[in-house]
Amino acid sequence: MNEPADEPLALRALAALAQAQRLRAFRSLVAAGPGGLTPGLLATRLGLAPSALSFHLKELAGSGLVTCEPRGRHLVYRADYGRMNQLLAYLMQHCCQSPACEPDHPGSCRTC
């Protein structure tokens, strides 16, 4: 069976999101929009210790789902919407190929 070339990227992104604090951080960055958030503001919003958040942001950045840009004395983290859309497209193309996945079929994707 041939694996899609982008499967390793999808696996890294899904693994990064498979932890509650990272998923919450990513959702906050998506909601923040293109302006992004500093780690201090994000830690406050999520109620996390800065050291714990730093670990989670490193994992998200390593997966390609977020970017980090220095701005003065601060860092600004942003969701990478292009990468997020690539992951969603990958999942739709490779994981949801049955008629049950069509919008007119309520419920979850299933092949039987």
Side-chain angles (χ1 to χ4, degrees):
M1 176 170 111
N2 290 335
E3 298 173 354
D6 49 358
E7 185 176 81
L9 296 174
L11 288 170
R12 285 182 72 189
L14 291 170
L17 294 173
Q19 200 281 340
Q21 298 302 336
R22 285 195 291 272
L23 180 59
R24 290 180 188 128
F26 182 69
R27 285 191 342 227
S28 292
L29 291 171
V30 169
L37 295 170
T38 62
L41 184 55
L42 188 56
T44 300
R45 287 185 180 185
L46 297 174
L48 289 175
S51 59
L53 179 62
S54 177
F55 170 78
H56 294 307
L57 289 172
K58 179 182 173 189
E59 291 295 313
L60 288 168
S63 75
L65 289 170
V66 303
T67 62
C68 178
E69 174 188 338
R71 184 177 289 163
R73 296 183 338 161
H74 299 283
L75 297 173
V76 176
Y77 283 87
R78 293 179 182 88
D80 186 328
Y81 296 101
R83 180 71 183 100
M84 180 181 75
N85 288 332
Q86 287 174 344
L87 177 60
L88 293 172
Y90 172 86
L91 292 172
M92 291 301 295
Q93 181 181 3
H94 299 287
C95 301
C96 200
Q97 298 176 354
S98 77
C101 292
E102 296 299 319
D104 59 335
H105 290 84
S108 62
C109 291
R110 53 187 179 272
T111 57
C112 56

